[in-house]
Amino acid sequence: MNPESNLFAHIWWLALLIGGVLGTAAFRLKAVTPGGAVVGAIVAVVMMFAGGLPLLGLLALFVATGGVLSQLPNRNNTQAADQHGARTAWQVAATTGAAGVCALLLSLPIVTDPMILRGLLAGLVASLTTAFSDTISAELGSRYGGTPRWLLFGKRLEAGMSGGVTLFGLAIGGVAAVLFAWCAVQWKILPPGSERLLSLLGFGGNLLDSLLGATVQATYRCPKCRLISERRRHCDTIGERIHGLPLSNAGVNLVCTVVVVILLQCHLKF
């Protein structure tokens, strides 16, 4: 067998093994559904092929942190705070989809231009930084940040509702963006000096997520129990949309990560 083919086969099996371990761990932590675990494992395999263990390490940091934080006790005992539950396949794809597409393009042998490769790698990290910052803000801010306020006009919201922010949640989201960007540089995924731009874009994507959550994300009222939440289906029935467009929280996550990737490409170009 050709030595290169043999090496490729070993990397393939290693990628599958690590992807399977990450997906299983997230499922055991009840952070994802079985479908979410499968999608996460696929993204992990693509990451492995695109950038080896360093990129996979970034993904593992994101998955592990989100999974652990989701197990923390919730001081805000409200229905809204617990409405999201384990991430489905669509939610995982929406959160990591932009990074996964960048990784897929990076792994294609037809993409050889250094500037394009640099842009794809930076976009991958920036989208994960956004998702990481948003996840930390949501998990810790909803639990320990006190009463959230609507981002635009300061109206009080139930903890866990999109569009609501707390000073603690914003602060911890900013710290998370800086930490994630720092890890990307320390693990030699991106060159030194990239931290500032990645941190700003990641935290900016977090703020954009809250802005869209406050303005265009859909809110529903259950016709049976009258609960107002982001769930379209509740009590085995379709809720009445009372605010926003037919755009879910996962859809907002996808839009924000894609916007961050586009903004980064524009910055690199000009």
Side-chain angles (χ1 to χ4, degrees):
M1 178 182 290
N2 188 309
E4 292 186 0
S5 299
N6 192 32
L7 177 62
F8 180 83
H10 281 85
I11 293 176
W12 170 255
W13 285 110
L14 179 61
L16 284 178
L17 175 62
I18 297 177
V21 169
L22 286 177
T24 302
F27 175 68
R28 292 296 297 271
L29 286 171
K30 299 181 180 180
V32 297
T33 64
V38 171
V39 173
I42 293 173
V43 173
V45 170
V46 176
M47 291 278 190
M48 180 73 177
F49 274 103
L53 290 176
L55 270 187
L56 198 60
L58 272 188
L59 181 65
L61 175 62
F62 171 55
V63 172
T65 305
V68 170
L69 293 183
S70 68
Q71 304 303 304
L72 293 176
N74 200 329
R75 292 172 56 186
N76 297 300
N77 188 25
T78 63
Q79 290 178 298
D82 297 314
Q83 68 178 315
H84 300 298
R87 292 176 181 259
T88 64
W90 161 236
Q91 289 171 324
V92 173
T95 304
T96 62
V101 170
C102 288
L104 181 62
L105 293 175
L106 277 170
S107 63
L108 295 177
I110 59 174
V111 182
T112 58
D113 185 281
M115 287 298 295
I116 295 178
L117 293 173
R118 177 191 172 203
L120 288 172
L121 186 59
L124 185 158
V125 176
S127 66
L128 281 182
T129 304
T130 297
F132 187 77
S133 176
D134 179 60
T135 298
I136 300 301
S137 288
E139 293 291 352
L140 293 181
S142 64
R143 285 172 166 79
Y144 309 113
T147 302
R149 301 276 182 170
W150 197 32
L151 181 64
L152 293 179
F153 303 113
K155 176 184 176 182
R156 292 189 177 189
L157 295 175
E158 273 198 88
M161 291 293 289
S162 293
V165 297
T166 64
L167 289 178
F168 175 73
L170 289 175
I172 202 69
V175 171
V178 172
L179 174 63
F180 202 82
W182 179 83
C183 288
V185 172
Q186 293 300 309
W187 296 346
K188 302 186 185 307
I189 297 171
L190 292 175
S194 306
E195 302 97 327
R196 180 177 298 179
L197 177 61
L198 288 174
S199 300
L200 288 175
L201 283 173
F203 186 57
N206 184 352
L207 292 178
L208 177 62
D209 189 283
S210 295
L211 177 62
L212 295 182
T215 54
V216 299
Q217 183 177 323
T219 303
Y220 299 91
R221 178 187 288 115
C222 176
K224 291 186 177 180
C225 70
R226 311 305 293 175
L227 172 70
I228 297 177
S229 73
E230 298 167 12
R231 292 181 179 179
R232 183 169 180 267
R233 176 176 289 274
H234 193 263
C235 296
D236 295 323
T237 187
I238 301 297
E240 171 194 1
R241 180 158 53 91
I242 59 175
H243 171 76
L245 303 174
L247 184 68
S248 66
N249 179 256
V252 168
N253 294 156
L254 179 60
V255 169
C256 293
T257 53
V258 170
V259 167
V260 166
V261 172
I262 294 173
L263 288 176
L264 181 57
Q265 305 315 307
C266 292
H267 173 82
L268 293 176
K269 183 176 180 181
F270 297 106

